[in-house]
Amino acid sequence: MQEHDMSWVRTEMALAQPAPASVRGMGAWVRTNLVGSVGDAILTIIGIALVAMILPQIINWAFINAQWTGPDRTVCATVAQGGIQSDGWSGACWAFVNAKFGQFMFGTYPIEERWRPIVVAILFVALLVPMLIPRIPRKGLNAILLFLVLPIVSFVLLVGGTFGLPHVETSRWGGLLVTLSLSFVGIAVSLPVGIVLALGRRSKMPIVKMLCIIFIETVRGIPLITVLFMASVMLPLFLPAGVTFDKFLRALIGVSLFAAAYMAEVIRGGLQAIPKGQYEGADSLGLGYWQKMGLIVLPQAVKLVIPGIVNTFIGMFKDTSLVLIISIFDLLGIVKQNFSDANWATPQTARSGLVFAAFVFWLFCFGMSRYSMYTERRLDTGHKR
Amino acid sequence: MASQEILREEPSRGSFVNDPKVRSLFFQALVVVLLVAGVWWIAQNVIANLTRLHIASGFGFLKGRAGFDISESAIAYSSDSTYGRAILVGLINTVIVAVVGIITATIIGFIIGIGRLSHNWLIRKICTVYVEVFRNIPPLLVIFFWYSGVLAVLPPPRDSIHLPFGSFLNQRGFYFPRALWGDGSWLIFVALLVGIAMAWFVARKAHQRQMATGQQFPVFWTSTALIVGLPLLAYALSGFPLSFDYPKQSTFNLTGGFQVSPEFLSLYLALSCYTAAFIAEIVRAGIRGVSKGQTEAAAAVGLRSGSILRLVVVPQAMRIIIPPLTSQYLNLTKNSSLAIAIGYPDLTATAGTVLNQTGQAVEGVLIMMAVYLVLSLVTSAVMNLVNARMALVER
């Protein structure tokens, strides 16, 4: 009986074959991503036409035809408009931004005192960067420095009047300085106030609960401009005659309270998402209300709603531009104010200034949203489905 | 007997200071006292300030003569009209820009949002760039960009840009032919209403028949024919009463036609572009929220791709989309108050002028707050109705 050796096993690996030509390489990528079907191909053609129409114009305007330096409006105006450019020229007037850069950053802060906001900015970056990088230790100390010490130091430095520093009125502040200080204070105030409001709204005390609901829903129902109006025209009526306080401070209060109402709703969303067992668990351990919230509930709730919190921050950062309505000149306000400078008035000035301001705002907001996505991924402990 | 009594006894809490009920009452009483004291103090100050400034409180000022002009008004208004009417003009302007803006933002937002989910790489990238650009810059900046950056540098009326259908675009705004409804044109509107009613009736009947017998009826084409055909028929029967007043170019200005001011145009375009970016993200999240199994199951049942989208994906996605969409609509309405920065006479602008002229700060701000709250509530109510229709019916 002949034995068949059925247990033959191939010992060497089969050589890997190249993938079929239809799923790899440039050609396949184009086929699947651009011309998958007739409709897809038409869409691609429309897309290419759109890009071909817009992109060269933008590049031409922003870089190739742009004027980077110059003493006054002549570099950015055509001959017909009293300048040196040929007819039909259209390009960005970065010379305008260049010339006004100091104003865009600091407003009319006295030039010899501008080292003060610069020092504050350096301190801010020096404290913020280690705060944002998770690997760097001593977060607690860092947070105290950033949220308690820095505001005091900044206040002393920016306002002056002590330690031999000349006093600078807040009406002379402007530009990015105002935008950033408004947003920083707004963020630092709105988060704790928002947490308190959210806890109040979920509280079992009916009066506290009702007051929180009324505050949150009223503020959320009206535009920020109305709140700022209220801060600028109604607040003086509310105070005894002769008592006034700084317009900048009023705007700060308005912006912070407005953001706090939105923050409260975001935090409430997080609080609601925490299962009841967590509350009961904390109770059964014998923790008091603030211990329960501070140690068990809030850390989980806040982590859940980080995207919402950052979105509120971004919204508030953008909303600070509204203070120009009550004539405080933030970055956008100061850019707009400079349109009326006869020395630089050309058809391109407004566009260039606004594109510059948009770019600065965009950088901050985009940075914040990307950082929040990063944090979300980092803190994701896999509890989410 | 004794053991039962022990059980009924309240557990000892030591001192009543530690009793949660007592504490809660104490804190609430404290809050009420503080609140009443604060309100009383503010009220005293307000009364003192008002008497010092010789301002009579109350809403009687609304009947006074306004004495200022408003550049755009949908209802008859002159500087002789009352303050109340001035505020009404502002309110109507706010509603107009909000409604038109909401419609446009929804259309752009849905297109961009669906584009972000396209299989087509190029379309996806273009839509992503749009969303990332507009989401991250302040709406006020977008308004200024349209106003000072684009519309203000358009040619003067003499060199207006000609657009199709006899429209013009220049520094002073956008001009398009005004429709003049002649005698008998009421018939067209009646026909339109009848057409819509009949289309609704047909859709209902067709649905009932399909439920009962499984037979389908081409509802879409019938309704289109009814809604478009009936008014056209009425138009022909009543002797073509519609004519157009075209804008005409003269030496310094355009006459005739319908003019849309640059203020309205920039506010409308900016609000639409800005809000569309947010709506796009909501739409994207909504469609992605419908699990792939739904699409596959629908395909397994034998539905075509159009029907899958219409009957399976969209109804489920809408449930996720509508609540955040409502809050975007509310945001757009509230953002329309930015009109004040470019001088479009919306509610905030006219009420602000009234407030400055009369000094009635408290009443003026109260009116503004009340109106915006009511607008928000109305929008929410409408969207809640839509939502209720869309919501999952669970037993």
Side-chain angles (χ1 to χ4, degrees), chain B residues 193-253:
Chain B
L193 288 180
V194 171
I196 291 172
M198 281 171 71
W200 179 77
F201 186 73
V202 167
R204 239 180 88 114
K205 278 285 161 214
H207 185 73
Q208 278 173 2
R209 195 177 73 155
Q210 192 182 351
M211 284 294 134
T213 64
Q215 285 171 315
Q216 287 189 345
F217 185 76
V219 176
F220 178 75
W221 295 112
T222 329
S223 330
T224 315
L226 281 172
I227 294 174
V228 177
L230 278 182
L232 277 179
L233 195 68
Y235 179 52
L237 282 181
S238 58
F240 304 100
L242 182 63
S243 62
F244 289 98
D245 169 25
Y246 288 95
K248 279 177 278 301
Q249 231 168 347
S250 60
T251 334
F252 294 110
N253 210 346

Side-chain angles (χ1 to χ4, degrees), chain B residues 76-115:
Chain B
Y77 174 85
S78 73
S79 55
D80 285 328
S81 304
T82 58
Y83 282 124
R85 199 165 177 85
I87 292 177
L88 184 67
V89 169
L91 169 62
I92 292 174
N93 280 337
T94 295
V95 172
I96 291 175
V97 81
V99 169
V100 184
I102 282 174
I103 294 170
T104 317
T106 311
I107 295 171
I108 304 178
F110 269 76
I111 293 174
I112 302 276
I114 293 168

